[in-house]
Amino acid sequence: LVAKMGSFAGVAKMLPGIGGQLDSSKIREVETRLKRSEAMIRSMTKKERENPELFIADRNARSRILRITKGSGNSFENGAG
């Protein structure tokens, strides 16, 4: 939803009291993390999105995490850490 409004920096600048306090390197870091998170969520099945406990309690949790990180273009170290 926020992505449709523009970049994170553009949206954050519209927030009262925040516009002048933005550091461009931090904004780029946040945008990168948001894109990575979105890619991982899009790599999940509907069942996984609805029930995140599957990543903890399910005996196939590691397999799920590896599939999602690979599907989102991340490594296990970057995706799970």
Side-chain angles (χ1 to χ4, degrees), residues 15-27:
L15 298 172
I18 295 182
Q21 300 176 6
L22 297 174
D23 178 14
S24 61
S25 65
K26 290 286 185 187
I27 291 172

Side-chain angles (χ1 to χ4, degrees), residues 2 6-15 18-36:
V2 176
S7 70
F8 182 76
V11 173
K13 287 179 183 177
M14 291 187 266
L15 298 172
I18 295 182
Q21 300 176 6
L22 297 174
D23 178 14
S24 61
S25 65
K26 290 286 185 187
I27 291 172
R28 281 192 301 274
E29 181 182 328
V30 168
E31 287 178 338
T32 300
R33 290 176 66 191
L34 283 172
K35 287 179 184 178
R36 183 182 310 140

